[in-house]
Structures are given as structure tokens and as C-alpha cells.
Amino acid sequence: MSKFEDHLWQEFVREHGHDLAQMCRSAARPTLRPRVVAASGLGLAGVGVALALVLGAATAAPAFAVTRNHDGTVTVEILRSAGVAGANAELRQLGVRAEVMSKAPAACQTYAFEQVAPTTGGHQIANAHWTIDPRTIPAGRRLVLTPASEGNSGNSGSGGQVYNCPDNFPYRPSSPASGDSGNGGSS
Amino acid sequence: MSTLASVGVAMRDGSRDSVLAEFEQVYRSNVGGVTAYFARRCADPQTVADLTSETIVRAAGAFGSFDPGRGAARPWLFGIAAHVYAQYCAQAANGRDAALRLAGLADLPVDEIDELAGKIDAQRAGRELIERCAQLSALEQAAVELVDLDGLTPKEAAAALGVPRGVLRKRLSRAHARLRKGNHGDE
């Protein structure tokens, strides 16, 4: 392999290897995707395909849940940091331009849209949740949801942060919250 | 490089511990082809790196549901790459600056930029073939590229493109005939 390809693999393993090792292969293929999806052990960012299939095989406690509410808002819950990537994948599946990250990129602005009501988050990306309204996300923008303890200056309520970011492509894999291997366990 | 068939056999194990090793095998067998796929399309090494990275991360996220019994890893991966590229193009067409990256994303080291630039140069013949394919339908173009440049079998190309094998073979044959006719016309 070339130097780039070796480097890419090393970076991938460092950021996501543990989570991939925890992944179960699923033979079962449900034909319907549940409206509320909960997962465990899936710590990869950028997942966008057939997430629910993985979740069907999960036997441990759920790591995240993404719920489309009756009023059109979407609630994102991260119960363990291993659920970050799965939640992001589900958001993509739902067509919601929002992403959970451990820290907002510098290009982002503190959220300033009153229609959206972000709620609490935790110190790590665990036991954190946000409720957002996808209809209020302006074209060309993406929301980044972060916990409150990363030193960001945003103020979105009692813990969680919501940032208004450029929706440029591609977003790099987001890492689980620092200090957490992605295996979770403290829900 | 190992063949995709051997990868497929190895992946039937499905145990938790082997998933990372299985994915590494898929990665090592295919990342060169995926990089070349993007190198034919993008003149910027950083973009090639980003799109390759995005493809790998998405593939890893979907790996739990990948069923080697339904097809080899290579067409599966190229299908993801095609989706990533289509998304990239759609966003670029919307006027978003695809080259604008979020702060904090690591740039490639100089030696890797040089390496990818070399790979982009090496794909000149491939780009010329793609340009000659401009007269063909999108499906025919994709079929020619996957089979003639990426080395997929027609069966694998059909799987990657999500079309029946017979349709792929027919379109490929027609594309080759038109390209030959074009060659004679140029002489």
C-alpha cells in the first residue's frame, strides 16, 4: 500500500478500530426500519447505510436514540459515546443536516435560531440529548451538537450546545468524546 | 493483493473479534482502487484523500450489515464510492465550496500530497477514456469505467451499479461498440 493508504488505515484504526472490533455482523435483515433506532457498540462516524441492520443484532444496552417527534422536531440522545456515530448515521438517513461531535469546528457559530430548542447535554457525549427542528436549518448550513464541557462559547441551555456550521463536504469522521474509548457502559 | 473471493470466504466467520481484521483485508485489497477511482475525477490530492477517507468510513459503518454471500466486497465498496462522489458533486453543483474545509481537519503531509498527485497523473489514460465516454449514457460510462479501468467483472459491476447482469452486459457491449466506432471515426 502507498504511504497515504497506510496512514489512512492507521488513522482509521486509531479513531475507530475499537468500535469496529465491537461490531457484530448481522445476518438478520429487517425489512422495516424502526422510527426510533437504538444501537450499541457502533462508534464509527460517517455511517450512512443500513444502520438499523446492525442495530438489530445488538444485545447490549442502546448507545443512542434518534426520534422524530410528532411536532416535526427530532430528538437525539447519546447514552454512551459509542453511539455518536450511529446517531450521526441515523440523522443522515433521516435527511437531517445535523451531526453530533465532541467539539464544534472553529468555522461554526453559536446557534442563534430561536425556533429550535436544544436541551441538555452532558460533560462527555454520554447521557446527552438535544431536540432540534430540521425545518429551521438554513440551506447550506448544518447543526453540530456538542456536549457543554468542551470549552465552547456557545450557550444553548443547561448543558448541550448547538452550533450553526457550514454544510460543506466532506465532514471527517468525528471521534467519540475524549477519554472514552467508545465502548461506553455508563448510561 | 488477495482476491475478493478469498475476502468473501474469510468474512463468513462473523465473530466480533474478527470484524476489524476482516475489514482490514477488505481495505487493503481495495483502497488502491478506490483512491484511483477518485484520482480520475479530482485534480486536488486533498479532495482525493477526503473522498477516499469518507468512503472507507462509510463502508466501515455499514460493514456489520455487509453480506459477502450476496456479493463481493469490491463492488460493494465501489457502490459506496460512487455514492460519495455523487454527493460531492451535488453539493459542488449547489454552489458550495467543496474545497472549504472545517478548521481542525488535518491536511495531508507533503509527501502524501506528492504521492496522490502522482496517482492523479497516473490516471490520465483513465480520464481520457472517461472523456471519450461522454457520448455514452451514464450507465454505460459507469460500466466501462468499472470493468475496463477498475477491473471488476461485469457481474460485479452490475452489483455495484444495482442493475441486472444482463442489462449491464448489453450496455457494456453497446458502449464498447460505440467507442470502437468513435475510434475509427477519429482515424
Side-chain angles (χ1 to χ4, degrees):
Chain A
M1 287 202 303
S2 71
K3 192 174 287 186
F4 161 70
E5 290 159 0
D6 268 331
H7 183 204
L8 179 60
W9 176 252
Q10 289 163 9
E11 193 174 321
F12 172 82
V13 170
R14 187 177 65 248
E15 293 196 19
H16 306 295
H18 176 82
D19 302 309
L20 185 58
Q22 297 300 311
M23 183 185 285
C24 285
R25 305 294 304 283
S26 171
R29 294 175 178 275
T31 54
L32 295 176
R33 192 164 55 83
R35 205 174 172 82
V36 178
V37 180
S40 70
L42 187 68
L44 294 163
V47 283
V49 185
L51 181 67
L53 306 183
V54 179
L55 311 185
T59 54
F64 75 88
V66 176
T67 309
R68 191 181 282 282
N69 303 311
H70 291 301
D71 62 359
T73 62
V74 171
T75 297
V76 181
E77 296 177 79
I78 303 295
L79 305 174
R80 291 185 289 121
S81 62
V84 170
N88 287 337
E90 184 60 16
L91 287 167
R92 288 188 192 194
Q93 293 258 9
L94 292 174
V96 177
R97 294 195 310 279
E99 186 162 348
V100 179
M101 299 178 78
S102 56
K103 184 176 182 178
C108 299
Q109 304 160 356
T110 303
Y111 195 75
F113 307 110
E114 293 180 356
Q115 302 95 315
V116 179
T119 57
T120 58
H123 286 296
Q124 292 186 353
I125 307 186
N127 296 323
H129 63 278
W130 304 259
T131 296
I132 59 175
D133 189 342
R135 295 165 298 191
T136 64
I137 303 172
R141 307 297 290 182
R142 174 185 296 253
L143 299 186
V144 166
L145 316 177
T146 74
S149 60
E150 299 296 330
N152 296 323
S153 58
N155 179 15
S156 63
S158 56
Q161 306 282 2
V162 179
Y163 289 85
N164 173 10
C165 305
D167 187 25
N168 51 336
F169 179 88
Y171 270 61
R172 277 288 178 85
S174 56
S175 301
S178 57
D180 191 318
S181 67
N183 200 24
S186 58
S187 60
Chain B
M1 279 188 183
S2 59
T3 66
L4 268 296
S6 67
V7 171
V9 170
M11 290 169 69
R12 291 177 190 280
D13 177 332
S15 67
R16 295 169 74 98
D17 294 340
S18 67
V19 174
L20 182 58
E22 291 167 6
F23 188 73
E24 181 175 7
Q25 196 174 359
V26 171
Y27 176 88
R28 291 188 182 281
S29 299
N30 296 288
V31 66
V34 171
T35 307
Y37 178 87
F38 291 122
R40 281 196 293 275
R41 290 165 164 75
C42 308
D44 172 29
Q46 183 77 51
T47 304
V48 172
D50 284 344
L51 295 175
T52 302
S53 170
E54 178 75 7
T55 299
I56 296 305
V57 172
R58 287 196 193 188
F63 195 56
S65 60
F66 169 65
D67 180 2
R70 300 179 63 184
R74 191 172 180 81
W76 172 72
L77 209 49
F78 273 90
I80 295 172
H83 183 72
V84 167
Y85 187 69
Q87 191 177 354
Y88 169 77
C89 291
Q91 295 192 330
N94 285 338
R96 296 174 198 169
D97 183 359
L100 179 66
R101 293 182 180 81
L102 295 176
L105 298 186
D107 289 331
L108 285 176
V110 173
D111 56 344
E112 292 181 25
I113 290 178
D114 291 343
E115 185 183 285
L116 286 173
K119 199 147 191 172
I120 291 169
D121 283 344
Q123 291 299 318
R124 185 176 302 143
R127 277 195 296 279
E128 288 171 359
L129 175 59
I130 290 176
E131 286 169 11
R132 285 172 46 213
C133 288
Q135 54 178 315
L136 307 178
S137 71
L139 177 59
E140 289 167 349
Q141 289 179 34
V144 168
E145 181 178 8
L146 288 176
V147 173
D148 296 338
L149 296 178
D150 293 320
L152 270 65
T153 65
K155 178 184 175 184
E156 290 174 336
L161 296 171
V163 298
R165 214 179 309 173
V167 170
L168 190 284
R169 285 186 186 278
K170 200 172 291 183
R171 293 299 190 93
L172 190 60
S173 173
R174 186 194 304 173
H176 284 157
R178 291 183 68 183
L179 287 173
R180 278 195 299 271
K181 193 176 175 184
N183 283 345
H184 291 318
D186 292 340
E187 290 169 359

